[in-house]
Amino acid sequence: MIPIENFLILSSLLFAMGLYGVLARRSAILILMSIELMLAAVSINFIAFATYLDGEAFSGLVFALFVITVAAAEVGLALGIVLRLFRERRTAYVDAADSLKW
Amino acid sequence: MTDLLGNDLNLQYELLGPEIALVITAALVLFADAFRRELKIGQSAIPAISILGLVVALLLSLLWIDENKDFARLVTIDNFTTFFRVLFIAVTVVVIIGSHEYIERRVSHLGEFYSLLLLSTVGAMLMAGARDLLTAYLAIEVMSFSLYILVSLAKSDTRSGEASLKYVLLGGVASAMLLYGLSFLYGVGGSTQYTEIAAALSDGTSTLELPLLLGLALIIAGLGFKASAVPFHMWTPDAYEGAPIPITAYLSATSKAATFALLLRWFAGPLLPAIDSWQWMISVLAVLTMVIGNLVALQQSNIKRLLAYSSIGQVGFMLMAIVTISDQTGSALLLHLSGYIITNLAVFMGVIAFYNRTGREEIVAFRGLAQTNPYLALVITAGLFSLAGMPLLAGFLTKFILFQSVVSGGYTWLVVTALLASTVSLYYYLQVIRQMYMYQPEGDASRWRLSPTGYLATGAMLVGVVWVGVYAAPFYTAADRAIAPLFT
């Protein structure tokens, strides 16, 4: 059996890449994709733990399922809001969203 | 019925009566709005249906006072849940009564607005009641998703879309961090049930110190975002300024209180055995939040932004109660939370009434309000003084009890910091009051009156502010009974 550490390392790499993307990217769409990476890391973690834990193993798998569903809903919602910004400013770059400061 | 592991499941759907009633109302509101012409009903029917549904939900939640049951091992129905159900329903009722004129004129998509408001109330209620990490997560997202959209619904205001974008992106990151933390908690605790995590953590976790610490830090960061604690507060002023004012009021009341309900449930329940690992994290967060929130508020010129920073400062005070968590500080926190919500709603209802008349939200626009509308000036002044902690008003008493309980919890230095921050806050509240009383009105100096519902909402909140300040015994008993199930 593959040791659980491997899964955890994979998920932490994915999570770190996602977090970097959120901080470094300026396009709202790419930020959303980076959030998706972070959520994928979460799913991997839950599934790995669920497989290695006895007893209530299913709750982790169900959790992963819900994370995937909610993530899809979140992207749909966020894209709608990005679209609104695009209609108003003709750009999806978050730097353009600068009318609110301090 | 039993689940796969043979646990008995209690599928008594009456336990979720209030939530079910609100979801049905939300659907009805959408339907009624879509077929308004066919059904021959006016615009005002929609808030009326919402209020009706909220009242039904309120009565249904009062059925479960002093019960202690759970629904399918997912939601607990005890006095704590009932307390927050009543609180959240009351907030939504006040917001709807006080601002339906504002909503009719300045919000696009009326039906969606009300139904999302009701759905986010459902999410908040479930956050207070959850007893499983999955329920808690879904409840958080139900509330947040509704709020992301609500923030963006201000008509012809480009700030609204921008505020919503910042809120949804940062909210997504915060949720991801929270979830990543929860996955570690699941790995360490071996279950998503609060009770079983608590049992696993108190068994001794020396071999799993690192994942637990990492999980806790991520959970605190995620929840710190939802509660707008410094340094995770950046979205707060922007979302508050861009959102329609009723939603700003709602954000500062329900979304904050729901996060604290969740914090109390988690940190007094599953995470209590790990108190040594998280106590210092929360106390750092509390100090940063109250100091920075109150200092940055000093230089604000927009009333919504000022109130945003003031609410950040208040979150700092409330976090102190989590640091020294016990039944005493818990009940003090519940009392302070209700006093703060009443006070904040008083100010916001006043600001909404003012905005309906003038369409302005800068602090200088309040010049001479004491002459043009002395009643409204009185309401806003009482609210601001109460936020600053003046005697005879809600803010003084609840803050006093909160600070006292934190001192007896052994964190005197936190309270000293809080007192200093509180003194700073008096300055910027007085700035607003000065504009109202010390200056002549600009332009139109004629007297004006509020609408009847405006009088109702502001009057009720004004009475509430004084009532809690003078005779808080009933609230105190309620808070005591609400916190009891968490510490048995």
Side-chain angles (χ1 to χ4, degrees), chain B residues 272-475:
Chain B
L272 191 60
I275 187 163
D276 293 330
S277 312
W278 55 257
Q279 210 168 20
W280 63 272
M281 297 188 206
I282 304 254
S283 48
V284 170
L285 219 57
V287 171
L288 280 177
T289 307
M290 55 199 171
V291 171
I292 294 182
N294 281 314
L295 283 181
V296 181
L298 288 176
Q299 52 157 356
Q300 298 307 320
S301 58
N302 179 302
I303 186 84
K304 278 152 98 183
R305 247 181 142 66
L306 177 94
L307 288 169
Y309 279 106
S310 121
S311 82
I312 294 175
Q314 298 280 345
V315 165
F317 302 148
M318 294 178 204
L319 281 173
M320 294 194 307
I322 307 284
V323 176
T324 56
I325 195 150
S326 68
D327 51 351
Q328 198 195 351
T329 44
S331 96
L333 176 59
L334 291 189
L335 183 69
H336 184 62
L337 209 51
S338 19
Y340 160 75
I341 284 178
I342 293 174
T343 307
N344 226 19
L345 283 182
V347 178
F348 271 113
M349 292 305 119
V351 171
I352 289 171
F354 179 76
Y355 192 84
N356 278 342
R357 163 84 183 180
T358 60
R360 294 180 67 189
E361 54 189 46
E362 312 90 77
I363 291 169
V364 285
F366 283 84
R367 282 193 177 172
L369 186 63
Q371 283 179 35
T372 53
N373 194 332
Y375 166 75
L376 195 60
L378 175 74
V379 172
I380 298 179
T381 306
L384 291 175
F385 269 139
S386 169
L387 281 175
M390 286 290 182
L392 287 181
L393 298 169
F396 172 74
L397 185 100
T398 59
K399 228 185 226 178
F400 180 76
I401 292 173
L402 181 73
F403 286 9
Q404 196 190 28
S405 71
V406 175
V407 168
S408 57
Y411 272 77
T412 316
W413 64 273
L414 264 182
V415 173
V416 173
T417 323
L419 282 174
L420 289 175
S422 201
T423 322
V424 172
S425 76
L426 185 59
Y427 177 78
Y428 58 77
Y429 294 129
L430 276 174
Q431 284 295 326
V432 182
I433 295 167
R434 195 169 69 110
Q435 298 289 345
M436 293 193 290
Y437 284 91
M438 307 292 278
Y439 288 92
Q440 292 300 316
E442 288 168 351
D444 183 17
S446 57
R447 288 235 176 179
W448 53 281
R449 295 165 74 76
L450 274 57
S451 66
T453 45
Y455 274 116
L456 184 63
T458 50
M461 289 300 102
L462 183 62
V463 170
V465 168
V466 179
W467 186 19
V468 178
V470 177
Y471 182 66
F475 292 88

Side-chain angles (χ1 to χ4, degrees), chain A residues 6-18:
Chain A
N6 295 14
F7 289 103
L8 297 185
I9 290 167
L10 172 68
S11 82
S12 54
L13 282 176
L14 263 182
F15 189 83
M17 277 159 62

Side-chain angles (χ1 to χ4, degrees), chain A residues 11-12 15 22 35 42 45-46 49-50 56-57 59-60 63 70 74 81-82 84 89 97-102, chain B residues 5 134 137 145 152 157-158 162 164-166 169 172-173 179-180 183 186-187 191-192 196 238 241 300 305:
Chain A
S11 82
S12 54
F15 189 83
V22 167
I35 294 176
V42 171
N45 247 7
F46 269 113
F49 279 128
E56 282 199 305
S59 56
F63 214 122
V70 173
E74 179 159 23
I81 292 168
V82 172
R84 171 166 180 182
R89 317 239 160 129
D98 60 354
S99 62
L100 297 167
K101 269 190 193 133
W102 278 100
Chain B
L5 298 167
L134 183 55
Y137 165 63
F145 282 18
S152 76
D157 186 346
T158 51
E162 178 183 335
S164 177
L165 181 75
K166 288 180 177 169
L169 290 180
V173 178
L179 273 175
Y180 201 55
S183 73
Y186 169 66
S191 168
T192 53
E196 287 173 35
D238 290 352
E241 189 182 336
Q300 298 307 320
R305 247 181 142 66

Side-chain angles (χ1 to χ4, degrees), chain B residues 12-18 59-69 77-79 82 85:
Chain B
Q12 226 183 321
Y13 280 95
E14 306 92 283
L15 287 168
L16 297 183
L59 296 176
L60 285 175
S61 48
L62 289 177
L63 287 178
W64 303 105
I65 291 178
D66 287 330
E67 292 275 355
N68 199 343
K69 291 189 175 171
I77 314 299
D78 52 16
N79 277 347
T82 308
R85 276 175 167 175

Side-chain angles (χ1 to χ4, degrees), chain B residues 224-236:
Chain B
F225 170 88
K226 303 280 176 203
S228 60
V230 179
F232 311 107
H233 67 290
M234 284 83 82
W235 64 277
T236 315

Side-chain angles (χ1 to χ4, degrees), chain B residues 67-68 78-81 265 480-488:
Chain B
E67 292 275 355
N68 199 343
D78 52 16
N79 277 347
F80 187 77
T81 312
R265 274 250 191 245
D480 251 0
R481 281 169 65 188
I483 205 72
L486 261 60
F487 291 92
T488 44

